[in-house]
Amino acid sequence: MIAPRPMKHNSGEIIKYSVSPKTNEVRFPDHPKEPVILHVDMDAFFASVEQKERPWLAGKPVIVGGDPQKRCGVVTAASYAAREYGIKAGMSLLAARRLCPHAVFLIGIHGEKYEYVSSRLVKIFRQFTPQVEPYSIDEAFLDITGCERLFGPPMELGRKLKEKVKAELGLSCSVGIAPSKLLAKLASSLNKPNGLTIIPKEKIRAILNPLDVTELCGIGRSTAKVLSHLGIHTAGELASYPVEVLKRKFGIVGEWLHFMANGIDCSPVISGAIPDKSMGHSRTLPRDIDDPKQIASILLGLSSLVARRLRKGGFLGRTITLRLRYSDFFSLTRSETIPRPTDSEHAIFKVAFKLALGLVSGIRKIRLLGVSVSQLIRDEKPLQIPLPLVEYRDKREEVYSVMDRIRDKFGEDVIRWGGATVFG
Amino acid sequence: MDQEINQPIEVMAVFERGIMLPVRFRWNGRVIKIAHITSRWRTNEGRFRKKHYSVMNQNSEFFQLTYKERTSEWFLNKIWVE
């Protein structure tokens, strides 16, 4: 039996709900109606954007990938025609070329173009409901509860939304509709590409039970492996497994797994921006390095990018993390928490470089470096800085401010610190 | 495959309902008439915008153009070569 209890969503919001002990049915006391959630997943998004731009590529195997010259030679997206040859995101371009030599390879990721298309998608979604939560660049959740009077039943709304996306952007998407985000996301994945799937309340168990646990959103390979040791392979087996045992094995996640397998997900669609927990940048280097001067140059460049984002967002951070990958692909991270939160690239660089120096072995060269800052707080700078704090403010603060203003006006690449690597 | 060009070009454009659309451009001594704009998007360069257009001519040749608001310049960024 599942006791009724409030659940803290990762947004910090407390969601009140109760669960029927007999049917496992979720009830939302604060919600006058059963929620209707729609999940949109764009079909092979990056590849489709490129095919729309280059009409002669429609229906052909198209592979979008990183630049091998920058040693980022992996598949980022593959059209459905390319997927038929077994090509998947994350695979090396070399392997993809072996599987499908006649595919069209579009090298270089045009992030800004995809972000622009993504922003236009969100504008389309907002024509149907103000409750839109972009989940990634090509996915979003929409709370369409109560939209029937404007757009008809959920299936009709889903159809209209697909038509609008196709008409305005020339792209196809898969839509899933269900009483929760978890099930809506599952629904959109059941019938791809160009699908429109609804999971009605009465069919939840029948659809969930035979599914492999890895098909549930959030269960990765490592969790699936542990579950497999418990003899759990399907969502049905997970749903009927004693929740207390799952809690002992996985902690709080065990309860979450139990809820998920039972189709219970009370997380709301959050239409506002979700606050960042950390900000970071990493780069695969053009060639492996172990020279401290080069490492310093790259880390100052990365620290500048991170600090600029912190200042732009109005954040300060305390924990600085260095991410490093050696030439043999062995990766590790090291963190240090500083006494006072900062948004200064030099403070971030100082820590990151110190951490890096401890990891330069002289045996293995470095392939990738990354810097991130977490434990973020809002920067609430007083108009007049109290005197005792002045000494703690970075002396370069005025320079940062001037550099930020120049970047705001002319773009990010127009000014940099001497010695810092510029990342295009 | 795409071939990077990144050369400044002369462009003739029209404004349609507040949207700037290129209609023809001169490159390498050729005047290329745009038959179809297949895609357009924007990026930012500081407070200025860069407007990008993917276009095709009557012979289905593909070009990618960029208008830089900061300097009021047009560039031919890419062409498609088989």
Side-chain angles (χ1 to χ4, degrees), chain A residues 179-252:
Chain A
S180 68
K181 283 164 76 174
L182 168 79
L183 293 169
K185 186 164 165 58
L186 175 69
S188 71
S189 70
L190 293 176
N191 193 13
K192 275 184 89 59
N194 204 19
L196 174 56
T197 311
I198 193 159
I199 299 183
K201 210 170 85 177
E202 60 277 10
K203 286 192 180 167
I204 292 173
R205 301 307 296 258
I207 290 171
L208 270 178
N209 282 354
L211 289 179
D212 191 281
V213 285
T214 53
E215 290 189 57
L216 297 174
C217 178
I219 299 190
R221 268 183 297 181
S222 54
T223 308
K225 201 172 167 187
V226 181
L227 289 172
S228 151
H229 288 145
L230 297 173
I232 302 169
H233 303 282
T234 65
E237 287 164 354
L238 182 57
S240 56
Y241 206 81
V243 65
E244 292 308 321
V245 182
L246 290 173
K247 275 164 82 173
R248 273 204 299 276
K249 194 81 187 165
F250 295 96
I252 187 72

Side-chain angles (χ1 to χ4, degrees), chain A residues 222-398:
Chain A
S222 54
T223 308
K225 201 172 167 187
V226 181
L227 289 172
S228 151
H229 288 145
L230 297 173
I232 302 169
H233 303 282
T234 65
E237 287 164 354
L238 182 57
S240 56
Y241 206 81
V243 65
E244 292 308 321
V245 182
L246 290 173
K247 275 164 82 173
R248 273 204 299 276
K249 194 81 187 165
F250 295 96
I252 187 72
V253 175
E255 191 179 38
W256 172 74
L257 289 170
H258 175 82
F259 281 140
M260 202 161 57
N262 281 287
I264 300 166
D265 170 29
C266 54
S267 55
V269 171
I270 302 167
S271 53
I274 297 166
D276 288 306
K277 287 183 180 165
S278 68
M279 291 185 180
H281 285 273
S282 65
R283 286 293 186 279
T284 300
L285 309 175
R287 57 189 176 82
D288 298 338
I289 59 165
D290 60 357
D291 176 7
K293 275 187 187 169
Q294 286 178 308
I295 294 170
S297 167
I298 289 152
L299 289 179
L300 183 56
L302 291 169
S303 302
S304 299
L305 292 174
V306 176
R308 166 77 169 140
R309 266 179 72 194
L310 286 169
R311 291 194 295 268
K312 235 179 165 175
F315 288 104
L316 299 165
R318 274 189 71 201
T319 300
I320 292 144
T321 301
L322 174 84
R323 186 171 160 229
L324 186 146
R325 183 176 295 150
Y326 291 107
S327 49
D328 59 3
F329 285 84
F330 180 77
S331 302
L332 44 81
T333 57
R334 291 286 182 274
S335 296
E336 187 175 312
T337 300
I338 53 175
R340 287 182 184 82
T342 186
D343 59 3
S344 147
E345 45 255 57
H346 289 88
I348 296 166
F349 164 74
K350 199 174 147 190
V351 175
F353 187 52
K354 190 181 82 182
L355 293 170
L357 284 183
L359 299 170
V360 178
S361 65
I363 302 163
R364 287 187 292 187
K365 290 191 172 185
I366 296 166
R367 178 186 170 87
L368 175 145
L369 280 168
V371 175
S372 65
V373 174
S374 54
Q375 281 210 61
L376 304 184
I377 56 159
R378 277 270 161 213
D379 180 14
E380 285 158 356
K381 283 183 185 141
L383 288 173
Q384 279 200 313
I385 301 162
L387 274 176
L389 285 176
V390 170
E391 59 184 302
Y392 302 126
R393 307 299 296 195
D394 195 306
K395 287 173 185 168
R396 297 183 181 92
E397 195 163 297
E398 276 185 34

Side-chain angles (χ1 to χ4, degrees), chain A residues 49-50 52-57 104-107 110 112-114 116-117 120 123 405-412 414, chain B residues 1-2 4 36-48 50 52 54-56 60-62 64 70 78 80 82:
Chain A
V49 169
E50 299 296 344
K52 159 76 177 41
E53 193 178 322
R54 299 164 171 82
W56 65 93
L57 295 181
V104 177
F105 288 81
L106 298 169
I107 301 306
H110 306 106
E112 289 177 318
K113 177 164 64 183
Y114 307 137
Y116 176 75
V117 179
R120 287 194 61 196
K123 280 182 188 163
R405 291 208 303 272
I406 292 170
R407 286 176 178 141
D408 286 343
K409 187 167 181 183
F410 298 108
E412 297 299 319
V414 294
Chain B
M1 58 181 285
D2 286 328
E4 301 275 342
H36 187 41
I37 296 175
T38 56
S39 170
R40 57 189 175 87
W41 71 99
R42 288 193 305 254
T43 54
N44 292 324
E45 189 182 31
R47 71 168 68 150
F48 302 97
K50 285 203 276 190
H52 309 271
S54 292
V55 303
M56 291 173 79
S60 297
E61 290 176 296
F62 175 83
Q64 207 175 78
R70 183 160 71 91
K78 285 178 187 174
W80 179 268
E82 290 297 335

